[in-house]
Amino acid sequence: MKYLIILVFSIFTMLSCSEEKHRKTEKISNQVDQLIQKMSLKEKVGQLNMLKGLYSTDIYEQETDLEKAIKAGQVGGITPYTDMEQLIKWQKTAVDSSRLGIPLFFSFDVVHGYQTMFPIPLAQSCSWDLKAIENADRIAAIEASASGINWVFGPVLDLCRDARWGRNMETAGEDAYLASQIAKARVRGYQGKNLKDSLTVMACAKHFAGYGAVEGGLDYNAAEISERHMREYHLKPFKAAVEEGITTVMNAFNTVNGIPSTQNDFLLKTILQNEWSFGGFTVSDANSIYELIPHGVAKDQREAAIKSFKSGSNTDLWSEIYMQELPKLIEEGVISEHHINEAVRRVLELKQKLGLFEDPYRYLNPQRQKKFLGAENHRKASRELATKSFVLLENKDAILPLDLKKYNSIALIGPMNDSREFRDLVGNWAARVKVEETVTIVDAFEQRIRPEINYTQTAGCGHWGKCKEDQIREAVTSLQNSDIGIVVLGENGYSSGEGGSKTDVTLPGNQEELIKKLAATGKPIILLVMAGRPLVLTEINEEVDALMLCWQPGTEAGNAIVDMLLGEANPSGKLTMSFPYHQGQVPIYYNHLNTGRPPKNPEDKRWGITKYSDAPREPLYPFGYGLSYTSFEIKPPELSHSHIKKSDTLKVSTVLKNTGDRLGAEVVQLYIRDLVASVARPIKELKAFKRIVLKPGEEQVVTFQITEEDLKFWDINMNFIAEPGQFEVYIGNSSHHLKKVSFTLKP
Ligand code: BGC
């Protein structure tokens, strides 16, 4: 029987190849309907049951005999923590030994690369280079799909304004517009143009929604978000991903206004299904259906299953509650079979679109895996994106790039320089990284610095930031005996990521003390900071000569860092999260409201205005900020009209000139402020940007187009409209370095 079904699917699929899209869709639905008619209740629920590939005896999990469950048709997909051989066995069991032979999904967290690690997503966002980001996920998809994975749990589309939250590293930063552009690029990267291409995978937008707003930056905590803020901010990147055709969406762990995302009708039904017409399926986060019990909204598994399924959580990741509860609930009529069929249809249609019915083994080819994993061009792309993601924060007297002729010796200091531990150079969520393939900083120094000048390497402190007296002494001595220090400090890769919330976001341990003692030698110091979140650098940014944020750069870390030190690459990264002046400022973000008592300027010291009495209101380094080895001039913006109607397109133009002596890239940023509206609007909001590469002396006219869409917001009556009135347009190279013009939107 199962062969027959697969054959029928294959013939249907071949025939439909040349037909137009909607007929194709109709055909897929018909085939899927035929299959659904043949399925038992348990087989239907089985398709909604996504399991972990190797057992952990987690308190939430029951050990299941996986083979037995697959044979019984009770598994829809597996997240495998194992090799391809095992995946082939599981797929064979599903196809040959289950009654209907429905192939399995294989899913995995592929957040910034599979084996070739790219910089962490927060770093990637600082490149503002959408093509490079798309390409990184294209490569991640190629490596994952060549390893048997057909469904990746990414991109992460949460927005966060709080440096304490560990999962910042997975995100595209604090801005909804930039994150939406990146969301689209990532969907294109993972899913490609055609899911049937076996080098593409289904992507999964996560975590829906409001997870980045957890109170206190504390992972899994509650979030309180008004509908206006939810729509204008947290939902935007998800909407963009749905518009770009993302196939799956994962729930968040948190409650939003008291209701867990996993059973949130407003999010899953009103927004995702009804307003956005999302055609794919949703998946719970790991065990999040079970977690309705500790959340205190379900008294037992049965109630958890009812609430989450009815709200629109289509499939169950790892809790097995659907498998245990739904068949009974359908028999009892608590959940309608029609409703189950709807969820099963969503799953099967995607299996069909991936081509799994035609060839269940299309992703399971060991030859392909050998060819693609860690390929040279993948590493090259990772190295390039790493250099594009570095953000140069300080560069006194243009000390960088290094002129090696000026020095006889370098003191290289830092515990991560020759380390492949603690995800140091690759960052957390490193999928199936092979750490032995990482180019460390010492590797790159040995190859490219040692032949030029001598250098010594000392740790200075331990991996978690504790600098012991003898380590400090050794580092100081090595600097005293050298001409310049290159000091690499910050957070190791395990300091951020899931469950990685912190209350202290200054440099870990006593690294500040180490830097101050090094600075006291009077030797020039280049400080390279590794991080998975914004850090407070106020205590040390003036102690050093150059300060470059390298995040966690990935497999080619050492090479990318040396490229940058030697000027073989030129920094162009711009911060996508505000770097606080003091940790008491968090949450801090550039697009805040004016308030009723705004300061006149950053130095305004009056009582009773929106300021702190012990710290500035502004961050140390603002959103959009980052230096280059060359310099750029941005001319004041010019408008095509000073008054526009809603149907008009406003052209905003400026001239960008490379006024320095090196090839470099600048990100020209356009912000808008709606001066008077029915609800208070942010003091500026990013609406467009362009990353432009110019040769020394070269200039280019940069033009942006603004339409009514860019001026819309959720008004006092919760209508998404543009209100007539005056707007300011700002153009510049950071959210704090801007030139202004105004225009009026006519009624
Ligand atoms: C995370 C998800 C991830 C899932 C599966 C959860 O703990 O929140 O982002 O996809 O685990 O690994």
Side-chain angles (χ1 to χ4, degrees):
M1 167 67 90
K2 56 195 162 282
Y3 292 115
L4 191 67
I5 290 165
I6 290 173
L7 189 70
V8 170
F9 265 103
S10 310
I11 294 168
F12 270 72
T13 309
M14 272 157 53
L15 288 176
S16 68
C17 268
S18 59
E19 293 182 14
E20 57 184 290
K21 206 175 160 197
H22 85 270
R23 290 203 49 200
K24 221 167 165 181
T25 316
E26 213 171 274
K27 205 159 210 173
I28 289 175
S29 301
N30 290 340
Q31 293 160 13
V32 165
D33 279 341
Q34 285 170 24
L35 184 54
I36 291 176
Q37 277 167 23
K38 297 191 171 76
M39 295 170 85
S40 69
L41 270 188
K42 282 198 172 159
E43 284 165 339
K44 288 178 184 175
V45 177
Q47 288 305 307
L48 313 180
N49 187 27
M50 307 299 170
L51 294 182
K52 219 186 222 177
L54 282 184
Y55 311 125
S56 86
T57 41
D58 219 272
I59 43 163
Y60 304 145
E61 285 166 38
Q62 313 225 343
E63 274 208 7
T64 310
D65 180 343
L66 194 49
E67 279 287 320
K68 210 166 108 200
I70 299 172
K71 267 190 205 157
Q74 292 181 7
V75 183
I78 298 177
T79 310
Y81 294 89
T82 180
D83 53 24
M84 191 187 283
E85 217 178 301
Q86 180 63 59
L87 271 59
I88 294 173
K89 277 193 202 148
W90 283 327
Q91 194 68 303
K92 206 164 159 23
T93 306
V95 174
D96 293 347
S97 309
S98 75
R99 194 175 73 92
L100 294 172
I102 301 173
L104 298 164
F105 288 131
F106 290 114
S107 55
F108 210 69
D109 287 292
V110 179
V111 176
H112 57 114
Y114 185 76
Q115 180 170 311
T116 306
M117 294 318 299
F118 283 80
I120 56 168
L122 182 57
Q124 290 187 30
S125 69
C126 293
S127 72
W128 300 54
D129 188 331
L130 299 176
K131 284 228 162 71
I133 294 173
E134 176 178 338
N135 189 41
D137 283 344
R138 185 80 293 281
I139 289 171
I142 288 173
E143 291 196 359
S145 61
S147 307
I149 302 302
N150 43 40
W151 179 19
V152 301
F153 297 148
V156 176
L157 303 182
D158 305 312
L159 293 176
C160 184
R161 295 168 161 182
D162 193 327
R164 294 170 295 183
W165 194 47
R167 302 197 77 167
N168 280 316
M169 56 119 346
E170 298 168 54
T171 74
E174 73 187 36
D175 183 67
Y177 172 78
L178 177 61
S180 301
Q181 302 306 308
I182 291 178
K184 290 187 181 203
R186 291 198 181 284
V187 176
R188 291 193 295 269
Y190 287 125
Q191 297 194 166
K193 290 200 173 73
N194 178 5
L195 274 187
K196 278 237 168 98
D197 172 348
S198 54
L199 290 175
T200 61
V201 290
M202 299 196 303
C204 182
K206 64 188 192 183
H207 307 83
F208 194 65
Y211 187 32
V214 283
E215 284 175 355
L218 181 63
D219 210 1
Y220 317 120
N221 202 6
E224 290 293 317
I225 309 172
S226 71
E227 183 180 339
R228 175 173 293 105
H229 186 61
M230 184 59 126
R231 285 180 181 276
E232 273 198 7
Y233 183 66
H234 294 284
L235 293 183
K236 268 194 180 159
F238 287 93
K239 183 162 190 273
V242 169
E243 283 167 0
E244 201 63 29
I246 195 142
T247 42
T248 67
V249 171
M250 183 185 284
N251 299 142
F253 285 125
N254 55 292
T255 52
V256 176
N257 307 333
I259 303 170
S261 300
T262 306
Q263 60 132 104
N264 198 309
D265 281 23
F266 172 71
L267 290 173
L268 297 168
K269 282 191 190 155
T270 310
I271 302 280
L272 192 62
Q273 300 304 343
N274 300 344
E275 291 187 21
W276 298 352
S277 308
F278 171 62
F281 67 85
T282 58
V283 60
S284 74
D285 200 346
N287 293 314
S288 71
I289 294 177
Y290 168 83
E291 288 175 15
L292 297 188
I293 303 171
H295 270 306
V297 297
K299 67 173 185 302
D300 53 18
Q301 292 202 164
R302 177 186 159 93
E303 219 173 83
I306 298 172
K307 289 198 165 182
S308 48
F309 188 75
K310 283 196 167 173
S311 293
S313 287
N314 302 138
T315 64
D316 174 0
L317 188 66
W318 302 355
S319 84
E320 300 183 50
I321 289 182
Y322 277 4
M323 199 62 245
Q324 287 161 25
E325 304 295 336
L326 288 184
K328 272 183 286 174
L329 290 165
I330 304 162
E331 273 163 9
E332 290 167 18
V334 178
I335 284 177
S336 79
E337 191 159 358
H338 168 76
H339 200 170
I340 294 284
N341 289 350
E342 201 38 54
V344 176
R345 176 178 297 105
R346 287 171 183 268
V347 169
L348 294 179
E349 278 180 1
L350 278 165
K351 289 193 172 176
Q352 165 73 332
K353 283 186 183 155
L354 282 173
L356 289 178
F357 287 109
E358 278 165 73
D359 177 5
Y361 302 99
R362 67 187 316 152
Y363 290 87
L364 297 165
N365 174 345
Q367 292 315 316
R368 262 180 12 140
Q369 190 178 28
K370 251 191 226 132
K371 177 170 165 201
F372 289 117
L373 284 194
E376 213 32 61
N377 62 324
H378 297 180
R379 299 184 66 118
K380 187 166 172 273
S382 166
R383 178 170 172 173
E384 270 171 29
L385 185 50
T387 57
K388 286 177 175 175
S389 71
F390 295 170
V391 186
L392 182 64
L393 299 172
E394 303 284 346
N395 193 16
K396 286 178 204 151
D397 303 324
I399 188 168
L400 282 178
L402 284 182
D403 179 356
L404 288 184
K405 285 188 237 77
K406 284 193 188 158
Y407 311 104
N408 290 314
S409 56
I410 296 177
L412 178 64
I413 297 166
M416 302 186 230
N417 296 333
D418 57 354
S419 160
R420 293 186 169 88
E421 292 172 73
F422 306 105
R423 296 275 192 265
D424 272 343
L425 299 171
V426 293
N428 215 331
W429 286 113
R432 302 300 291 263
V433 65
K434 285 203 167 146
V435 283
E436 64 275 19
E437 290 181 351
T438 313
V439 179
T440 66
I441 299 170
V442 166
D443 290 339
F445 264 60
E446 279 301 304
Q447 233 194 7
R448 296 160 68 195
I449 305 283
R450 175 83 71 206
E452 305 294 321
I453 60 173
N454 196 20
Y455 80 93
T456 51
Q457 153 66 21
T458 49
C461 65
H463 282 268
W464 296 92
K466 186 162 173 30
C467 315
K468 295 194 205 128
E469 287 219 342
D470 56 334
Q471 287 176 313
I472 297 182
R473 215 175 306 119
E474 193 192 5
V476 168
T477 310
S478 83
L479 182 57
Q480 275 162 342
N481 295 333
S482 308
D483 295 335
I484 183 168
I486 296 178
V487 182
V488 185
L489 292 173
E491 293 187 324
N492 69 29
Y494 286 140
S495 305
S496 54
E498 186 174 350
S501 299
K502 278 174 138 189
T503 56
D504 183 351
V505 292
T506 58
L507 283 170
N510 52 338
Q511 292 186 359
E512 285 179 357
E513 181 194 342
L514 169 65
I515 295 167
K516 286 181 181 173
K517 290 200 168 142
L518 292 171
T521 63
K523 295 285 168 89
I525 295 176
I526 312 291
L527 177 62
L528 307 180
V529 172
M530 300 286 172
R533 55 155 58 78
L535 292 174
V536 175
L537 300 169
T538 315
E539 282 291 310
I540 47 85
N541 71 330
E542 286 178 0
E543 302 277 347
V544 297
D545 296 272
L547 174 52
M548 182 145 56
L549 182 63
C550 297
W551 302 109
Q552 284 136 356
T555 299
E556 287 284 329
N559 280 332
I561 284 172
V562 172
D563 289 346
M564 204 53 113
L565 290 175
L566 298 184
E568 288 168 23
N570 188 352
S572 57
K574 305 280 179 184
L575 294 180
T576 56
M577 283 190 83
S578 308
F579 267 49
Y581 179 92
H582 189 284
Q583 48 193 349
Q585 292 175 318
V586 298
I588 183 165
Y589 47 96
Y590 82 93
N591 46 348
H592 58 78
L593 301 183
N594 201 34
T595 79
R597 294 184 173 199
K600 288 190 181 135
N601 55 55
E603 276 70 51
D604 193 348
K605 298 260 182 314
R606 287 171 301 144
W607 175 87
I609 56 169
T610 315
K611 70 169 176 64
Y612 294 106
S613 57
D614 59 352
R617 165 94 151 88
E618 304 303 330
L620 182 64
Y621 297 111
F623 176 86
Y625 172 80
L627 303 171
S628 165
Y629 294 159
T630 187
S631 52
F632 291 95
E633 183 192 56
I634 300 179
K635 292 261 161 61
E638 287 181 8
L639 299 179
S640 57
H641 306 84
S642 56
H643 291 73
I644 57 164
K645 294 192 299 296
K646 287 193 176 171
S647 52
D648 290 341
T649 296
L650 177 73
K651 282 198 185 131
V652 186
S653 49
T654 182
V655 178
L656 173 72
K657 183 169 184 185
N658 182 342
T659 51
D661 55 6
R662 278 172 183 269
L663 178 90
E666 180 62 293
V667 180
V668 181
Q669 303 160 37
L670 183 150
Y671 299 82
I672 284 189
R673 177 172 180 186
D674 186 344
L675 284 178
V676 180
S678 58
V679 294
R681 303 295 303 143
I683 58 159
K684 61 193 96 154
E685 286 178 290
L686 184 72
K687 292 291 178 183
F689 63 88
K690 282 189 181 163
R691 184 180 185 278
I692 293 163
V693 181
L694 292 181
K695 296 192 199 103
E698 198 183 354
E699 62 178 39
Q700 190 176 313
V701 176
V702 187
T703 307
F704 299 99
Q705 300 199 333
I706 299 298
T707 66
E708 183 193 357
E709 246 354 83
D710 300 304
L711 309 177
K712 285 186 177 171
F713 64 99
W714 295 91
D715 76 352
I716 193 142
N717 300 313
M718 286 306 287
N719 295 314
F720 191 58
I721 57 162
E723 290 179 356
Q726 213 192 344
F727 292 81
E728 286 179 344
V729 180
Y730 306 91
I731 289 226
N733 63 357
S734 98
S735 61
H736 280 204
H737 302 92
L738 297 163
K739 291 172 182 160
K740 180 176 90 178
V741 270
S742 311
F743 72 93
T744 304
L745 177 67
K746 291 196 274 193

